[in-house]
Amino acid sequence: MKALYTATATVRGGREGSFESSDGALKHNLSMPKELGGSGGTGTNPEQLFAAGYGACYESALAFIARKEGVKLQDVEVTSNVSIGKDESDGGFKLSVRLDVKMSDVDHDQAEDLAKKAHDFCPYSKATRGNIEVELNVLEMSRQ
């Protein structure tokens, strides 16, 4: 692969430390969630960061696939749920992801088709395929 862009961040102090991106655009404290035995402080955590990155990447992939297929998407919402739990095989931890995808003005079958194609295309989905469980969940968008 020829890299088109490389993101760089430096972490100090692990899950109870801080991180900063090389361009200074991101600079945050990290806090271990109470559910993992931490203080649950005001900082973010790796799972939240992964969820945000995956959701953003997946939604962009969905927009690309829709354009490619001539489908005009009005409103799209992707909620990325990243869970961490015990890995019984080695006593460590592992991740799983559930992507909740909502699209307005697209029938459910077409939404399912677009969502699956986006999952095949998304770099995050490619990176996780075969490594962690990823559930794709297409939901109806509520009308307001």
Side-chain angles (χ1 to χ4, degrees):
M1 176 192 88
K2 181 182 176 199
L4 300 174
Y5 170 74
T6 300
T8 304
T10 301
V11 176
R12 291 180 181 83
R15 285 182 167 271
E16 294 287 345
S18 63
F19 73 91
E20 182 173 2
S21 61
S22 59
D23 63 1
L26 284 174
K27 185 176 184 176
H28 291 280
N29 289 325
L30 296 164
S31 297
M32 176 101 64
K34 286 182 181 181
E35 296 85 348
L36 297 177
S39 66
T42 59
T44 188
N45 60 65
E47 293 72 32
Q48 289 175 331
L49 294 167
F50 186 66
Y54 200 158
C57 187
Y58 179 82
E59 188 169 340
S60 292
L62 181 61
F64 175 84
I65 295 297
R67 275 192 311 276
K68 182 178 166 190
E69 299 211 356
V71 177
K72 185 170 170 87
L73 295 178
Q74 295 296 319
D75 293 315
V76 176
E77 180 179 294
V78 175
T79 301
S80 179
N81 305 275
V82 174
S83 299
I84 186 169
K86 283 293 211 177
D87 185 344
E88 300 303 324
S89 68
D90 67 5
F93 295 90
K94 64 181 180 179
L95 299 175
S96 66
V97 175
R98 188 184 78 235
L99 297 173
D100 293 333
V101 183
K102 298 178 183 179
M103 295 172 243
S104 68
D105 302 323
V106 178
D107 72 55
H108 191 77
D109 288 342
Q110 186 176 35
E112 289 264 351
D113 183 59
L114 291 170
K116 287 176 185 169
K117 288 176 179 174
H119 187 49
D120 290 340
F121 184 77
C122 173
Y124 272 65
S125 293
K126 288 178 182 179
T128 59
R129 191 166 291 120
N131 297 310
I132 66 172
E133 180 183 327
V134 178
E135 176 187 349
L136 190 58
N137 191 24
V138 179
L139 304 168
E140 300 296 323
M141 183 169 272
S142 60
R143 306 275 183 204
Q144 296 181 11

